[in-house]
Amino acid sequence: MYQQLYDKLAPYGQTQLLRFFNQLNAMEQAHLAAQIQALDLPELDRLIREYVLQRKPITIPEDLKPAEFFPLHPVDADQAAWYERARARGEALLKEGKVSALTVAGGQGTRLGFDGPKGTYPIAPLSHKTLFQYFAESLLRAGEKYGHPLTWYIMTSVINNQATQEFFEKHDYFGMEPKRVVFFIQGTMPAVGYDGKLLLGAKDSLSLSPDGHGGTLLALRKSGCLDRMKAERVEYLSYFQVDNPLVSVVNPLLLGLHALEDSEMSAIMLSKTGPFEKLGNFCTSHGRLWIIEYSDLPEALATSRNADGSLCFVAGSPAIHVLNRSFIERLTADGQLSLPWHRADKKVPFVNEAGLLVKPEEPNAVKLESFIFDALPLAERTMILEADRREEFAPTKNQTGVDSVESCRQMLIARDARRLMAAGVKLPLTPEGDPAVQVEISPRAVLDDEDAAAYCRSRKLTEIKQDTYLE
Ligand code: UTP
């Protein structure tokens, strides 16, 4: 077996992977051999030359323009009518069972520094419900409200799949029918040292990491999920990330506009808070929609302004999409999909020549990931809808500061307080107008403002004086 593996690796200068092979027992040897056999070495070699040994320059198309979008508030009566029609259409699609939810939860969540899959993080401010529970209950309520139970596709990675599934089993799927929670595992990519050599994470294992949320599309195909959706006549996927509990898990207006506009892939956009906010920018070039990462948009473009002083490139992406099943089927028809790769410089632990595990203090390796938004330019038609960030986007990337557990909890409290106040409930406020008490409403009971109004009416709730969790 050694020789066979050696012959596979040698033409690409990667025989260091076999350094400890003869010290391994049979099971360990088989483990490493299977990983090596699965490598597409010619392709990896190309990627290493292109992305690791050099930094591929970013080419920004000359005709880059800000993308158009449907505004948060309709600009005239015609548009208002179109939105009304869209909302009704979205609700009908939900009622007919044409929509499933799709959550990407395969990331490693390194910035959060939490031991376990990110979805198992207790995010809710008072009840401490986990992200997974929060979404499950929102989906249950949405299924109830729109008259058809929703199926939830959750992408995991080899690293967290088992822990994720066990978590759902342990908690009885948070009340969802187990058959309506579908896990599928994304692909991996090997980490590459700055010298172009693949790293060993252990003597019997490559250092493998998830291949980015762009891996979702191919993983849906390979796992058989697309076939299942087709058999169940599901046509649309409501896509969101595991770290954003504020998101509308299904958004009738977004779904309806997507369908009425014949879009293949749609997106929610937020108005950026400033030119350098760390959100991808919606842009068009040659009639196609692109998201250009904040770090790649040239400063002159990022800071350019319209006559009224507003940012030209104002549209930022919170990674909320609707995708047609047929679009994903088309893209992955031959069992392959090549999206561009993005280079991330990381501190990757590795086994050194002496067989010792080294935990580097500085970045030592490149991880390659693909991003789902790179599918946008492949869509024949796209659609963007503006949303109110306070209602849709509270990412949990860090423990404190920007995009953190703290800011996320504050946003959840503020959103629930707004819902209560809109329903006529009195709350103590700070001089700045923020809620002076903590409130949380269970997503199992309340999905939106309409639900909140009905909830408060039925419970004769008119005032809240202290921290309150409403179930
Ligand atoms: P992030 O890019 O924020 O990465 O993922 P992360 O892994 O969660 O966190 P850091 O960067 O290590 O701190 C955005 C979303 O995409 C998912 C994540 O689970 C999250 O929902 N994702 C990311 C995947 O599903 N797979 C991946 O390979 C990467």
Side-chain angles (χ1 to χ4, degrees), residues 93-257:
L93 293 174
L94 287 162
K95 190 171 171 55
E96 290 159 17
K98 300 269 187 239
V99 181
S100 285
L102 167 60
T103 302
V104 285
Q108 291 174 291
T110 23
R111 281 169 289 172
L112 191 61
F114 170 66
D115 193 19
K118 213 186 214 186
T120 65
Y121 191 87
I123 192 65
L126 296 173
S127 68
H128 302 296
K129 284 177 188 172
T130 60
L131 287 155
F132 281 138
Q133 181 171 3
Y134 208 85
F135 293 129
E137 293 188 355
S138 306
L139 288 166
L140 278 169
R141 175 67 200 130
E144 209 170 70
K145 181 169 177 117
Y146 299 116
H148 197 291
L150 284 146
T151 298
W152 188 15
Y153 290 86
I154 301 175
M155 186 167 81
T156 60
S157 74
V158 278
I159 299 168
N160 68 14
N161 181 62
Q162 196 184 340
T164 303
Q165 294 213 27
E166 283 172 4
F167 189 75
F168 274 82
E169 275 160 31
K170 186 170 155 209
H171 294 282
D172 291 330
Y173 294 81
F174 306 106
M176 289 184 75
E177 288 177 89
K179 68 168 193 213
R180 294 207 174 271
V181 184
V182 187
F183 302 95
F184 65 104
I185 305 178
Q186 70 177 112
T188 52
M189 278 296 271
V192 190
Y194 286 152
D195 57 359
K197 304 284 182 195
L198 302 182
L199 296 179
L200 284 174
K203 287 184 180 176
D204 69 340
S205 178
L206 296 172
S207 171
L208 296 173
S209 44
D211 59 358
H213 41 64
T216 312
L217 304 176
L218 204 52
L220 281 171
R221 152 82 59 188
K222 288 187 176 168
S223 60
C225 289
L226 286 181
D227 296 333
R228 172 171 169 170
M229 290 169 197
K230 190 169 181 183
E232 294 179 355
R233 296 172 198 278
V234 169
E235 286 173 22
Y236 305 99
L237 291 175
S238 176
Y239 170 100
F240 54 90
Q241 300 191 332
V242 75
D243 53 21
N244 179 21
L246 199 61
V247 69
S248 302
V249 288
V250 287
N251 179 334
L253 177 60
L254 176 68
L255 286 162
L257 280 175

Side-chain angles (χ1 to χ4, degrees), residues 337-384:
L337 171 63
S338 56
L339 294 176
W341 291 99
H342 297 257
R343 168 184 172 138
D345 292 69
K346 300 268 179 174
K347 294 178 240 174
V348 180
F350 66 100
V351 175
N352 69 8
E353 287 175 27
L356 301 171
L357 187 68
V358 180
K359 292 194 175 165
E361 301 277 307
E362 295 299 322
N364 63 319
V366 170
K367 286 187 180 179
L368 293 174
E369 293 193 339
S370 68
F371 295 160
I372 194 148
F373 58 68
D374 282 322
L376 281 168
L378 307 177
E380 291 304 326
R381 279 179 64 88
T382 54
M383 189 281 298
I384 306 176

